[in-house]
Amino acid sequence: GAGVSQSPSNKVTEKGKDVELRCDPISGHTALYWYRQSLGQGLEFLIYFQGNSAPDKSGLPSDRFSAERTGGSVSTLTIQRTQQEDSAVYLCASKLRLQETQYFGPGTRLLVL
Amino acid sequence: GENVEQHPSTLSVQEGDSAVIKCTYSDSASNYFPWYKQELGKRPQLIIDIRSNVGEKKDQRIAVTLNKTAKHFSLHITETQPEDSAVYFCAATGGTSYGKLTFGQGTILTVHP
């Protein structure tokens, strides 16, 4: 079946602009995670969704970051008033609720000029 | 929260040699430890995982060992091939973390033909 998909694959924006990143999880996966991967770094947790609820938002770096999930499927990560330090690859992963394996999307490479 | 340390940051081996990557974790409640391989510009792919009730797991040329007492786990790749060249990430999760993964910083493995 189809894997996790993300769009856009690349995004270049100017400092101060807002951006929206989209994640389509594997069908039936109720758990969805967003991670951020800065250049040469490991993956850093941002937010976790179970269904449409986000019981763990502890990784969001500032109030400029927000995310939502609708219909228990697609999720959108929004970054407002982007800063250069927001430049990174934003990865989405999904899994079945009672299983442990997370499947990653290809990521969105964000560059803030 | 959980903290995962990974060593070495880079590893260079000759084709056919073995490669070992080591990780330590801090949260004794962690009970699931996956390893991901990430090729340049690609999504992380799960290559092997281990749960805390198991000490060792093997899949062809790849094996993972876990020492719960010492809180460390290791990835072993035997008979390395050039296509094994990639960045490898260890991760840990468990307890009340909602399955969110805490990643190590990654190891760049280069296998020279």
Side-chain angles (χ1 to χ4, degrees), chain B residues 21 23 33-36 45-48 64 73-75 89-90:
Chain B
I21 303 170
C23 290
F33 308 92
W35 286 87
Y36 283 84
Q45 299 267 17
L46 179 74
I47 56 171
I48 197 167
V64 57
F73 57 113
S74 300
L75 178 71
F89 292 98
C90 64

Side-chain angles (χ1 to χ4, degrees), chain A residues 33 35 37 41 100 102 104, chain B residues 36 38 51 98-99 105:
Chain A
Y33 303 81
Y35 296 90
Q37 185 173 28
Q41 299 294 310
E100 291 143 328
Q102 293 186 25
F104 282 83
Chain B
Y36 283 84
Q38 187 177 31
R51 291 164 182 80
Y98 296 112
Q105 293 301 297

Side-chain angles (χ1 to χ4, degrees), chain A residues 74-99:
Chain A
V74 172
S75 177
T76 302
L77 177 69
T78 301
I79 309 173
Q80 296 178 310
R81 304 181 302 282
T82 52
Q83 303 295 311
Q84 289 182 332
E85 59 263 30
D86 299 335
S87 297
V89 177
Y90 290 82
L91 290 156
C92 171
S94 72
K95 74 176 184 74
L96 292 169
R97 182 179 180 186
L98 296 180
Q99 293 188 1

Side-chain angles (χ1 to χ4, degrees), chain B residues 20-39:
Chain B
V20 180
I21 303 170
K22 299 182 178 181
C23 290
T24 60
Y25 62 99
S26 61
D27 188 351
S28 56
S30 288
N31 56 14
Y32 174 66
F33 308 92
W35 286 87
Y36 283 84
K37 175 183 180 182
Q38 187 177 31
E39 297 177 8

Side-chain angles (χ1 to χ4, degrees), chain A residues 23-86:
Chain A
C23 171
D24 278 276
I26 293 172
S27 178
H29 282 196
T30 57
L32 185 149
Y33 303 81
W34 283 96
Y35 296 90
R36 179 169 71 175
Q37 185 173 28
S38 301
L39 186 63
Q41 299 294 310
L43 286 77
E44 171 193 20
F45 167 78
L46 297 178
I47 188 169
Y48 158 65
F49 285 94
Q50 179 55 46
N52 292 337
S53 300
D56 190 349
K57 306 178 182 180
S58 62
L60 294 178
S62 75
D63 58 8
R64 296 186 295 104
F65 288 71
S66 63
E68 65 175 12
R69 190 177 184 194
T70 56
S73 181
V74 172
S75 177
T76 302
L77 177 69
T78 301
I79 309 173
Q80 296 178 310
R81 304 181 302 282
T82 52
Q83 303 295 311
Q84 289 182 332
E85 59 263 30
D86 299 335

